[in-house]
Structure formats: structure tokens, C-alpha cells
């Protein structure tokens, strides 16, 4: 429906305005209507003059620009949104001309883009001519938006999985087929019945679901037997995957959603569908192939002590690069990858050039950041913890730790001593043997009985204080106590009432003293003097020194324990909450609406919501010992009680039916076969139609993994969709950048329940929910008043929550008339299926609408730059307990070996899941990988300006001495092989084999014995190979097929079939532990 | 108490607006590249391609990357480079009359319509001692894919203040984004330099950021002993100058580079 057809517009001055503006709209639909992928005609671009004589006569003018108007400076040609070239979420000023996105720059409203953002209240008209920086991959995203290989219509497989043969089918037909199931591929000779969503989503009654879920919990707690459960629920057993294992949960769990890249907004939307409407517990994203052990370690260290237990923590902390004087980058840096390159580069370069900031880079590869560092430490991969423990030993030996910080045992003591956060350094632990240690509680040593307290949820709980040693006597401590300061002794090793007792810091110290600094240095293959000098420098800047790491040190089998040790360095100097120290981030306004007074608490506005239950397919967040599958050690596959989103386990677990078989796999914006270590193993599994009866995908192209799907639904590009993003804690200001539709959508416009929208993940979910009458969508999706029939019905409510703020008095101002007009004019090129002013306004109500426009006109909500610091500290502080000792991990067991996990952060050699060392003496080089600054993961091979322009193919980088030894020269072609890939090939199981042949680049900037291969290359789909659609050949672009991916070489676990090595605590997949060999030719 | 410092972009924007209030003859644009800050990300290159709708093979801006030293004392040097907007531009002499002109504010501009033969184009390209000029060979990025992408031809060029979709086999080079500068906007490579290494401003204005930085720091130029008088300066720590110049020389093989001496 067009704006000028809207009824009742007389009542709304705003709508009259829309009508006025939209009447002037030129229909720009032509240029994106069809594409080659559909078998339609190519884009209509202007026919260009190919000879200089046909130039526009304007060139004959005199060289003056005075009468010229530069369109891109006009605010009506600009929309602010948020980048998704990587996950950092820099703000973007997108410039749109005649419906085409022509230029992406950074937004000056966000501290992600410039040091000091412009005043938030500045009108978009005022800042229209002020552009801010955006990194190369961000700017090149125009080329992924307009990738000639983007799909417009739903593709259905027309040959075996991976054959690359598809037909286009109407959206409605595709939805009907995946919902109803049946003999869907009979016409291509697959005579098998496929269960659709209707059958798989068996359990729909929220009351039944809740009683089943409650009793499964009782089974897990040992309070109910399976027999009792079966007896009690005999009428509902048919809803379960396996009545003999009620803890597998309902059949709904056989629908599995795995997302590669998914961000806030879409996370919540898809969880609403998968968890709340479809009732499946199996919603996953890709985090373990990214940096999960880093996240889990920070999360455990900072876990909130609340109601007598440790809850959620902060998964990410970062240096305040703005004020820091010294940063040690472990396996990461400021100028490539990390989180994110835009803000890190700007602050780091400023600090480096002004002389404020000194840096050390610990990395086997000399990164761009190492080029600016005072020292590059080319460490042996996987040994970062040994380096850090050497530093810790030196710090203890020389008493360079911050005693004033570490002695504080509660909030009151911290305040008294000028700190805001505090640690468990002085807490006492029972040391019976060197594992399964526990905090000493007051009642255990006769310091009174546990006290009953009232929890946040109003329920009483027992609080048994922790204990510290104070002037020789054990003293109870309540960490949250803000009025009675308690400090403790740092080093305690004694016996109390027959119990051997140590302080936590004592345990850390003993760990560091396991080896001499020389021995630690020996493990990491560097000199002991480097450890000493770095430790000295690190402890010479007060609070303004920080240890920073991300993915490098933790994507190893020892990831979590390494991460803990690295965090210890920050804790030892007490840099948290200080300017130039460790920042927990400025945080964000809450889009979900769970803060007091917020207009749309979307999670609870879900009548008939299902509570999903059961063991996740990846066995994450649950203890093996508490499951009905427990049968001693080893377990068949690893259980991950402390991790989540264990991406590398989704496909092999389903393939192994462990813990249970699945029926529908939805792969959203992800490419597990390409991005996961040893992921090419998945190809063979995904072709098994017994184990994976139905695979659906949402993707913008036929990707390297979606190639193996049964149905591919076109998805929106980030310039066509919504999001509510959260920023890296590097940003010390409170910020809520948003993503909103900028471009006329490339995917076809589909109709669902009378509403038009671009084909996308959201459209598929809305359509499935509509066809099945699932809760939380459609008429009454939120409440009788508010339907959820199109994406904006959901996302604009999140925007309204942000515009309202986190509490009364935080509302944004109303957009004025001028801004309201600008808002509409800037969107005149969008079709009503996207921009429908009346429906947009209706989604949030008239009262909030102008506030929402104020927010959308600025691409989000950003705190004023004056709020960064308060005195010498950060304004936004963590301000709570931080732990060296992770009690819950220490008291759990490794599900494969049955051994308890180590009690404290430590160095562990790289190993298989059974603890056996990774040792392949015939393979002389250790393979590492990295990301180029102009590329992201799997998604930038369509960036002709950048990836294929700056580096048309990737290399294997090798040290000069190694190259000489092997007789290799720059540019020589080699085949890379590994113990699990002795042929140096990738079998695509469609008749094609890819050779892992790559050119050599000889460099001084890499540790001898290590070779590096960058990511982003070695694609076999994503436009790299020919595919057949509706019988027409779509030729691949050979430029996209160059180079190799390091992932197909990576080690698989010895004991656990079909999977890479992994960290059993943090869940991270191992990327840097594979030995390889280079063969000439 | 620490505060978030103003971004150089904001300062340069004010400098630019102040300069534009003066008559064109009293403005003198220079580019200052702080190599200490550059990380070789090539955001500037992409900004330039995207802003000026550059086709493959036409490079207004390049960044060379050179590894220096031996393990483990090794580092990379990054050297951005574009047309130096020489005060005595050899290209202007090599070009057909009036095809390449020097504006009073220092920007060297081209008039594409004045070129009528391949020989003229080639002569101009060869005349630049720095290799700053390339020929438009009329290629597109999305050649060889199923369809011509909108960024290949749908996006107009605003070069020299003329909105056009036209392309021709002409010499092309950096013009300091004169279409932006004249309208009060900084060049695309300057605003998109994520490291804040590329600076632009009026050297005749003693209060401009570029004037201030040039007065305080060591700067040098690549003038090769030619009387070209470039308008692009490099800023470096004294101990870096030698390696930077080496990097320069590696990129421009066979040419010699001398530190700039301030007059």
C-alpha cells in the first residue's frame, strides 16, 4: 500500500507530509527487479560512452566548480546505520542516490568512528557535510550489497546436495513445503519422506511444556526418576524425542537453528521464533569458532555475586586505549581484525604518534601493530599462558603487584582505598589436594551459621560468608558489603581446624612458581629477559597499562585457562575502572524493554510463549554427570557445562545422533564448512539425508555451505535490515547504534498474511509461524493491540525502547517538523514493503513516534563525550567482585578424561580431548592464520575494490631461514599438507577436488617453524564456481577461487569423530595447533 | 581529569571552512601524511575508488608496504602516495594546451575533454616522475560476473565539479577531491583515514592544523632534485626518515628521495 492510499491520513499531519514527499518519488524498482541469478535480465545500468569523444559536454566547461552542487552532501541523500562488514558495529553514513547506495562513510555521531563524537543533539542537516572514517571493509560493503551473485528468489535443490543445481520456486511454495514436509525431492529421485515443521514442532501447549520442563529439572537434580516421570506424564510422552531420556526434551529440539553471523536485534527476533514459538532449545551462533574461551573466561572472572551464587558476568573487557600508556597485545592488535579496527586504529595511532602509548606485541606473526611496538615477541603458538606466568612470577618476586587493590575483600574496602572493583585474592580456599578446591565458608570454621537473606526474586537464600585472614585471624566477609571494609592478607598458607587453607593469591603465586622464568621462557621459545623486561614495563605505568587479547591465545585446547592467566595480569596491577586501564565499557540502552517504564518488554509480550527445555544438541550449559546419558568416562563426545554456542559441534553431533538425531537444520548467514577448523569434513555429513533430512538456509548468495542446502531463502544484506547493536568495551561511553533499511532490497518482495516484505530470515519465520499459528507472531503477536506481521512491528519496538531510555526522564526529544520531513525524504526510494510510514508509526504508537524518528535520524543513541571519565577513573565502572579462582570450574570434571579441571589459570600443553599431546614430528611447521585488515571471514570475496584488488590471492608466509632450508623462494607454489589432510586437497563431494596449492611469501616477520595463511581465500562457492539455476548456467568468477583456506588442514580430535580439537572448558575450536608440511610444486 | 580530545577532523573542517572564506589566491592546499600513524589499511584507497567511481587499473592513491630489518628486529613501513600537486607540474607541460592546469589554490586539475589521442594520454602519464597518473582503460570491477553491478556505472562521478557517468580513455589522477573541497568538505581519503594519518589544509593559514604540525615536526618530501615542488609532505620521527625513504624508493624504483629542508 502506498502512502497516498493510506486511509485516515487527515488525522496525521505526519502522514500528510509523507504523502507530499512520496508523490515526488520516482519509481526506482526497475534497476534491481531481476537479476541473472534468477534467470532474469541483468541490471539496467546506463549505457556508458566508451570513447572520449562521447563525453558529456560539461567537460568542455572551464575548470570551476562554483555552480556545482555535490548531491552526496545533502541530508536527504543520507541515512545513518551500522556497519556489519565485521562485528565491531561502527556507525555508517550511507549515501543514496536515485535509489542506489553509492558511498559509505563513517558517522560523526559515534565514538566508534572519531575520537570525540559530535554533539548528539546536532541535527542531521547540520552534520550532513561532515564525514567520519570507516575502515576499508566497511566502505567496500557496497560490493557485497550489490554482489552480482546475490540471490533474489528462493532456490530449491534440483540435484544431489552440493551439485549446484537449483530451481527457483515461489516463496509461498517453499514455505508450504518446509512446513508440511512430504516427499519433497521425489522428482529428482529421492524417494524419502521428510518431516516438516508441522510435524517436528510437536509440542505447542505452553502449560504442558512447562510441567514437562519442571520435571526434567527434577530428574537432573536427582529428585525424580525417569520411571516416575514416565508415569506422571504418560499422556504427553509422545511429545518427547525419547521417553527413556526425558532430558533430551521435546521433539521440537530436532529443529536446529545455527547462525554464523547474527547480531542483536536479529538475535532476539530469531530466539523469539526458535525458543519461544517453535519451542526448540537449539539456537546457536558461531562464537566458539571466534573467541568464545576469551568470553567465557572474562564472564567467569566477573561473574556477578548475587543471591548467594555466581551469576552472569561481562564477557568482554578492553583497554581504554584513549588514555593507556602501555598495552601488551597478546595474539591480537589494533590494526587488523580485533574489535574493531576503526576505533582501535584511531586511538592507537594518536597514542603512538603523541608518545603517550608504548606497545608490546606477543604474536608468532609480526602484525601491523607489531610494526609500531617497542618490542615484537614472536612466541611459540599456544604458549601465551607460559609467558604470562613468567611475568607473574617476576611481578611476585619483585612485589610489583598492587597490594592496595588486591587486599580489598569487599566493596566497602575498595571505596575506602580509592578503588571501585575488588577481587577474591585474599579469600581463603580449602586445599585438600591440588584439585577440587573450594572457597572456605565462615560456618565451616566456626565463624557462625549461614544467614538467611532475601534474594532479588523475593525468595530467601542462605548466605555463608567467605573468609579472609586479617591480622592472623580468619574474618568473614560479604563481598557486597558497602559499609564495613574488610581487607585481607594476600599470602596465606596455614591449617585451620585441621583443614589446609590458602589464600587465592597464594595459589596463583604457587602456580607461577612451578617454573623459573627461564623455564617458562623455554616453553614459549623466547628469552627470559624478554619476560622480565615486559613485566617491568607493564608494572611501570601504574593503572595505565593493560593486557589485551582476543582470539589468538584462546583458540587453542588450553584457551580458557590461558585466558584466565592473561586476565590475572590485569588484576595484579588493579587497572580495572581506571582511565587508561581495563574498561568494562560504557554499555548501552536496553532495547528489549526490560527496564522500568520501558514501553515494549518484547520478551514478555509473547502470549502463549513456549519455554524450551532439554539438553542442547551441543551439550552446552549442562553437566554430563547430571544427564541420563552418563555412563562413566569418556563420554562419547565432549560436554561443555561452561560454554555456549559451541558451533563446531552442531553438525557432527547431529551426524552422530549424540545426544539425539535431528530433523531440520536451518543454517542462517553462516558457512560452517568453510569457517570451522576441519569444517570441510562437514560436507560429507551434510550430504547424508538420513542424518540431515531437511536443510534450509538463509543467505545472500549460494555460499560455500548453503551450496549443500535443500532450500536457500534469499536474506537481506545489512544495508537492507534492522539491528540494535552493542559496542566493544573499548568505547567507554554509553552507546546504542542501530541498523535500519537503507537500500532498496535486492531479494524479492514476498507476501505473508497480507503483508509485503523482502524475503529474509524474518519473512521466513513470520511465514512459518503464520502457517502453523505459532505464538508470538501474527495478529495479537505481542498483545491484542499489537500484531507482529512484518519485521518493523518487532524492530521498531526495540527502537522505541531505546528512544525511551532505561528509565523515566531518559526519553529522547521529539523530532521537529524539519527532521520529520527529512526522515521521509531520505527514504523516498524505499518500497512500501520496507518503508511504510503509517505502519511504522502504528508499530510504536503516536506518542513515541517522533522520538523514534529522532533516534533513526542519527543512527542510534550516543552519550555525550564528556561522560567518559570521572576524575582519574572511567565514568562507567565495573565496580564489583572479580575472581582469580573459578570455584565452579574447579569442582567440575572433564567429560572425556574424568579428571577435575585445574583449580586456577595455568599453562597446559596442547592436547587431544583425551589429554594426549599433539605431536607429529614429521610435520615441521605449526600453522597459524590471521585476517587481513580489508577482509572479514568468509564474506568479503565479493569485494573487488579491496580483497581482490589489494591481494588477489593469499600466501603461505614462511621465515627466510625455513625457506632457505626448503629451497623455496617468493612466489613458489607449494602444496600444504597436514596429518589429517595428507593429500593437501579438499573433496567437495560433488565431483570436484580443490588442491591446497598456494604461493610462498618469504618474510622476516614470522617465527621460524611457524607458517601463516590468511583467511578469506580458497572459496569453492560464493560465486567462485559455476552453478545451474532453472537449467541456466551461472558462471563462477575465477577471481573468487584463488588462494587457499587454512581450515581444511586443521587437526581433528583423535578420540572424537568428525570434529576439530577444542577447549573443553571455554568451548573454543582450535585454530592454531595444527602441524603442516610444505611440498614443492 | 582526562577528557576525550577533539578529533583532528573537526579541527581540519574548521580550518577548511575558514580558508574558503578567503579568495582562492590566498588559499594554499597541502596534504600532510603522518607516517607514524599510518597502518597501511588502505581505507584511503577504497575511499578514493568509491568516491571517484574509479575503475580497476586507475589508482589515484596507493599505499606501499615494505618490510624492514631482520628477525626479530623487523617492522613494516607503510607509505601512502597520491598526486603531489606539484607547483611546477611536469604533466602540465606534457599535456595539450589547457588540459592540465594549476589552480591558484595549488590543486592540479585535468580537463578530460582536451585529450584527443592515445599519444597525448601516454605522454602525460610518462611525464610524471612519481607515477601518479594512470590511464582509464574502460574496465569494470564486475566484469566476468553475471551482471554489471550498480557501483560500476550507476554511480556518477563528481570529479572536477561535474556530475557525469561518462568514461573515456583519459589520464586520471588525484585531484584532492576538489569537488568536495570547494563545497567545504575534506577529501575522501582524509575523512576515511582511520588512523588519522592523512591531513589536509591551508598552509598559508598559520593557525591550520597542517601549518602547526609542519612547524613542530620533521617533514620531508619526495622531490628527487626536480624543480617540481610537490604539495604533499610526509611527517616522521627523525629515526624513521631513512627507512621511510627507503620504502619510497623501493616503490618508485630507480628514483632518489631527499629529506625536505624547510626554507
Amino acid at each position: 500500500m502506498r502512502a497516498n492510499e493510506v486511509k485516515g491520513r487527515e488525522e496525521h499531519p505526519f502522514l500528510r507530509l509523507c504523502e507530499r514527499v512520496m508523490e515526488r518519488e520516482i519509481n526506482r524498482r526497475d534497476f534491481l527487479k531481476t537479476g541473472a541469478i534468477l534467470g532474469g535480465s541483468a541490471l539496467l545500468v546506463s549505457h556508458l560512452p566508451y570513447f572520449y569523444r562521447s563525453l558529456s559536454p560539461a567537460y568542455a566547461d572551464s575548470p570551476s566548480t562554483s555552480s556545482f552542487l555535490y548531491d552526496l552532501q545533502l541530508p536527504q541523500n543520507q541515512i545513518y546505520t551500522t556497519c556489519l562488514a565485521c562485528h565491531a558495529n561502527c556507525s555508517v553514513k550511507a549515501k543514496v542516490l536515485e535509489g542506489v547506495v553509492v558511498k559509505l562513510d563513517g558517522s560523526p555521531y559515534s565514538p566508534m568512528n572519531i575520537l570525540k563524537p559530535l554533539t548528539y543533539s546536532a541535527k542531521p542537516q547540520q552534520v550532513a557535510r561532515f564525514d567520519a572514517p570507516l575502515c576499508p571493509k566497511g566502505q567496500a560493503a557496497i560490493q557485497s550489497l550489490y554482489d552480482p551473485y546475490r540471490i533474489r528468489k528462493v532456490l530449491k535443490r534440483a540435484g544431489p546436495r552440493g551439485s549446484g543445481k537449483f530451481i527457483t520456486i515461489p516463496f509461498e511454495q517453499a514455505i508450504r513445503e518446509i512446513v508440511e514436509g512430504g516427499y519433497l525431492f521425489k522428482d529428482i529421485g529421492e524417494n524419502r519422506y521428510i518431516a516438516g515443521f508441522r510435524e517436528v514442532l510437536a509440542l505447542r501447549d505452553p502449560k504442558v511444556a512447562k510441567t514437562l520442563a519442571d520435571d526434567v529439572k527434577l530428574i537432573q537434580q536427582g529428585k525424580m526418576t525417569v520411571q516416575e516421570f514416565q508415569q506422571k506424564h504418560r499422556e504427553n510422552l509422545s511429545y518427547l524425542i525419547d521417553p527413556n531420556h526425558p532430558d533430551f526434551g521435546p521433539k521440537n529440539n530436532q529443529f536446529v537453528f545455527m547462525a554464523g553471523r547474527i547480531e542483536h536485534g536479529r538475535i532476539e527476533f530469531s530466539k523469539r521464533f526458535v525458543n519461544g514459538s517453535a519451542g526448540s532449545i537449539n539456537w546457536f551462533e558461531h562464537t566458539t569458532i571466534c573467541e568464545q574461551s576469551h568470553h567465557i573466561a572474562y564472564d567467569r572472572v566477573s561473574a556477578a555475586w548475587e543471591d548467594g551464587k555466581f551469576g552472569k558476568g561481562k564477557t568482554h573487557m578492553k583497554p581504554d586505549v584513549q588514555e593507556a600508556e602501555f598495552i601488551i597485545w597478546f595474539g591480537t592488535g589494533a590494526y587488523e581484525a580485533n574489535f574493531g579496527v576503526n576505533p582501535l586504529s584511531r586511538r592507537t595511532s594518536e597514542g603512538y604518534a603523541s608518545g603517550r602509548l608504548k606497545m608490546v606485541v606477543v604474536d608468532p606473526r609480526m602484525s601491523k601493530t607489531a610494526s609500531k611496538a617497542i618490542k615484537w615477541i614472536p612466541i611459540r603458538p599456544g604458549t601465551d599462558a607460559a609467558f604470562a606466568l613468567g611475568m607473574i612470577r617476576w611481578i611476585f618476586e619483585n612485589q610489583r603487584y598492587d597490594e592496595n587493590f588486591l587486599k580489598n575483600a569487599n566493596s566497602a574496602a575498595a571505596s575506602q582505598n580509592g578503588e571501585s572493583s575488588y577481587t577474591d585474592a585474599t579469600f581463603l580456599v580449602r586445599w585438600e589436594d591440588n584439585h577440587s578446591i573450594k572457597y572456605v565458608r565462615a560456618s565451616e570454621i566456626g565463624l557462625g551459621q549461614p544467614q538467611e537473606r532475601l534474594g532479588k526474586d523475593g525468595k530467601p537464600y542462605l548466605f555463608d560468608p567467605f573468609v579472609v585472614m586479617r591480622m592472623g585471624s580468619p574474618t568473614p566477609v560479604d563481598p557486597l558489603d558497602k559499609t564495613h571494609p574488610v581487607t585481607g592478607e594476600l599470602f596465606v598458607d596455614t591449617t585451620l581446624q585441621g583443614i589446609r587453607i590458602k589464600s587465592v593469591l597464594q595459589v596463583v603465586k604457587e602456580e607461577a612458581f612451578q617454573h623459573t622464568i627461564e623455564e617458562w621462557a623455554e616453553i614459549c621459545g623466547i628469552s627470559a629477559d624478554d619476560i622480565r623486561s615486559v613485566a617491568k614495563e607493564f608494572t611501570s605505568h601504574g593503572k595505565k597499562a593493560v593486557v589485551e587479547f582476543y582470539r589468538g591465545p584462546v583458540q587453542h585446547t588450553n584457551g580458557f585457562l590461558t585466558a584466565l592467566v592473561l586476565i590475572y595480569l590485569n588484576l595484579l596491577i588493579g587497572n580495572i575502572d581506571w582511565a587508561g586501564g581495563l574498561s568494562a565499557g560504557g554499555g548501552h540502552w536496553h532495547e528489549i524493554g526490560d527496564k522500568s517504564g520501558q514501553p515494549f518488554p518484547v520478551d514478555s509480550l509473547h502470549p502463549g510463549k513456549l519455554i524450551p527445555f532439554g539438553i542442547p544438541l551441543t551439550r552446552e550449559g549442562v553437566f554430563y554427570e547430571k544427564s541420563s546419558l552418563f555412563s562413566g568416562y569418556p563420554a562419547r563426545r565432549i560436554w561443555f557445562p561452561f560454554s555456549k554456542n559451541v558451533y563446531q559441534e552442531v553438525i557432527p553431533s547431529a551426524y552422530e545422533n549424540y545426544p539425539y538425531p535431528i530433523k531440520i537444520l536451518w543454517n542462517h548467514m553462516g558457512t560452517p564448512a568453510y569457517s570451522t577448523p576441519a569444517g570441510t569434513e562437514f560436507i560429507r555429513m551434510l550430504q547424508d539425508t538420513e542424518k540431515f533430512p531437511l536443510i534450509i538456509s538463509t543467505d545472500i548468495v549460494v555460499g560455500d555451505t548453503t551450496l549443500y542446502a535443500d532450500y536457500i531463502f534469499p536474506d537481506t544484506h545489512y544495508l537492507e535490515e534492522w539491528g540494535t547493536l552493542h559496542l566493544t568495551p573499548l568505547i567507554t561511553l554509553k552507546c546504542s547504534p542501530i541498523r535500519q533499511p537503507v537500500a532498496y532490497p535486492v531479494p524479492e518482495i514476498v507476501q505473508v498474511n497480507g503483508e509485503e516484505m523482502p524475503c529474509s530470515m524474518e519473512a521466513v519465520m513470520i511465514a512459518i509461524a503464520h502457517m502453523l499459528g505459532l505464538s508470538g507472531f501474527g495478529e495479537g503477536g505481542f498483545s491484542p493491540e499489537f500484531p507482529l506481521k512484518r519485521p518493523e512491528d518487532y524492530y521498531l519496538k526495540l527502537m522505541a525502547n531505546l528512544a525511551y531510555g532505561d528509565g523515566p526522564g531518559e526519553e529522547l526529544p521529539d523530532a521537529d517538523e524539519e527532521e520529520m520531513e527529512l526522515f521521509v525524504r531520505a527514504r523516498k526510494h524505499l518500497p512500501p514493503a520496507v518503508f511504510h510510514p503509517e505502519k511504522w508509526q502504528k508499530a510504536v504508537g503516536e506518542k513515541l513516534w517522533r522520538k523514534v524518528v529522532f533516534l533513526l535520524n542519527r543512527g542510534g543513541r550516543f552519550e555525550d563525550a564528556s561522560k567518559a571519565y570521572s576524575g582519574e577513573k572511567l565514568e562507567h565502572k565495573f565496580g564489583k567482585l572479580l575472581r582469580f579462582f573459578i570455584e565452579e570450574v574447579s569442582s567440575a570434571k572433564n567429560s572425556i578424561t574424568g579428571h577435575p579441571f585445574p583449580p586456577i589459570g595455568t599453562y597446559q600443553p596442547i592436547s587431544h580431548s583425551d589429554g594426549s599431546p599433539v605431536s607429529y614430528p614429521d610435520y615441521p611447521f605449526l600453522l597459524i592464520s590471521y585476517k587481513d585488515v580489508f577482509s572479514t571471514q568468509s564474506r568479503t570475496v565479493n569485494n573487488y575494490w579491496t580483497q581482490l584488488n589489494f591481494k588477489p590471492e593469499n600466501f603461505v608466509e614462511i621465515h627466510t631461514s625455513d625457506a632457505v632450508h626448503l629451497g623455496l623462494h617468493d612466489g613458489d607454489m607449494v602444496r600444504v599438507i597436514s596429518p589429517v589432510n595428507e593429500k593437501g586437497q579438499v573433496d567437495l563431494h560433488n565431483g570436484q577436488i580443490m588442491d591446497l596449492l598456494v604461493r610462498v611469501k618469504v618474510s622476516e616477520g614470522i617465527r621460524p617453524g611457524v607458517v601463516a595463511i590468511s583467511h578469506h581465500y580458497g572459496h569453492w562457492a560464493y560465486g567462485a564456481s559455476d552453478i545451474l539455476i532453472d537449467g541456466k548456467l551461472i558462471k563462477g568468477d575465477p577471481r573468487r577461487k584463488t588462494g587457499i583456506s587454512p581450515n581444511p588442514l586443521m587437526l581433528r580430535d583423535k578420540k572424537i569423530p568428525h570434529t576439530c580439537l577444542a577447549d573443553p572448558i571455554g568451548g573454543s575450536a582450535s585454530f592454531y595447533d595444527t602441524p603442516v608440511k610444505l611440498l614443492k610444486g | 581529569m582526562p577528557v576525550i580530545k577533539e578529533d583532528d577532523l573537526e579541527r581540519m573542517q574548521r580550518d577548511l571552512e575558514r580558508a574558503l572564506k578567503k579568495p582562492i589566491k590566498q588559499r594554499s592546499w597541502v596534504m600532510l601524511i603522518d607516517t607514524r600513524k599510518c597502518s597501511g589499511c588502505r581505507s584511503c584507497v577504497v575511499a578514493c575508488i568509491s568516491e571517484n567511481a574509479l575503475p580497476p587499473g586507475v589508482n589515484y592513491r596507493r599505499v606501499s608496504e615494505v618490510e624492514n630489518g631482520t628477525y626479530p628486529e623487523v617492522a613494516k613501513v607503510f607509505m601512502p602516495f597520491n598526486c603531489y600537486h606539484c607547483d611546477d607540474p611536469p604533466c602540465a607541460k606534457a599535456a595539450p594546451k589547457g588540459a592540465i592546469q594549476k589552480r591558484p589554490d595549488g590543486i592540479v586539475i585535468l580537463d578530460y575533454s582536451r585529450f584527443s589521442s592515445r599519444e597525448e594520454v601516454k605522454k602525460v602519464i610518462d611525464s610524471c616522475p612519481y607515477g601518479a597518473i594512470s590511464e582509464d582503460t574502460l574496465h569494470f570491477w564486475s566484469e566476468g560476473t553475471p551482471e554489471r553491478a550498480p557501483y560500476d556505472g550507476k554511480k556518477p562521478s563528481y570529479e572536477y565539479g561535474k556530475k557525469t557517468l561518462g568514461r573515456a580513455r583519459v589520464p586520471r589522477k588525484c585531484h584532492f577531491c576538489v569537488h568536495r573541497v570547494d563545497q567545504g568538505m575534506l577529501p575522501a581519503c582524509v575523512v576515511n583515514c582511520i588512523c588519522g594519518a592523512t591531513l589536509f589544509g591551508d598552509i598559508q593559514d598559520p593557525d591550520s592544523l597542517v601549518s602547526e604540525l609542519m612547524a613542530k615536526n620533521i617533514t620531508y618530501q619526495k622531490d628527487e632534485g626536480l624543480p617540481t615542488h610537490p604539495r604533499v609532505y610526509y611527517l616522521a620521527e627523525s629515526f624513521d626518515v631513512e627507512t621511510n625513504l627507503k620504502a619510497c624508493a623501493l616503490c618508485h624504483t630507480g628514483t632518489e628521495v631527499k629529506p625536505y629542508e624547510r626554507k
Side-chain angles (χ1 to χ4, degrees), chain A residues 65 68 70 73 129 372, chain B residues 38 43 51 67 163 182-183:
Chain A
T65 64
F68 156 75
Y70 177 52
Q73 66 175 298
R129 297 190 321 155
K372 312 272 182 195
Chain B
C38 179
S43 204
E51 176 70 31
E67 188 179 288
K163 184 176 171 182
D182 283 355
Q183 308 258 325

Side-chain angles (χ1 to χ4, degrees), chain A residues 110-118 318-327 329 334-335 339-340 342-359 543-546 548 575 577-583 585-586 727-735 863-875, chain B residues 1-8 10 37 194-195:
Chain A
S110 172
M112 289 295 281
N113 301 81
I114 60 176
L115 294 180
K116 184 181 176 189
L118 299 188
K318 274 256 178 299
D320 172 26
V321 183
Q322 193 99 31
E323 285 292 318
E325 291 177 3
F326 184 64
I327 298 177
W329 307 89
Y335 298 123
F339 217 107
N342 220 355
L344 277 168
S345 296
R346 207 156 188 82
R347 285 158 180 78
T348 304
S349 282
E350 186 277 324
Y352 173 77
S354 69
R356 163 180 55 84
L357 177 64
K358 282 198 261 184
M359 305 185 284
K543 307 286 195 181
K544 297 198 173 206
V546 191
E548 155 69 357
N575 57 8
D577 299 336
W578 288 84
L582 188 66
S583 157
L727 293 182
T728 155
L730 168 74
I731 301 301
T732 54
L733 297 168
K734 187 170 179 173
C735 298
E863 192 175 44
D864 193 81
S866 63
K867 299 287 170 58
Y869 300 102
S870 150
E872 293 305 313
K873 291 212 189 78
L874 296 166
E875 168 70 34
Chain B
M1 174 172 130
V3 290
I4 297 185
K5 294 170 204 77
E6 182 186 69
D7 199 285
D8 284 347
E10 219 179 319
K37 289 186 171 182
I194 63 173
C195 294

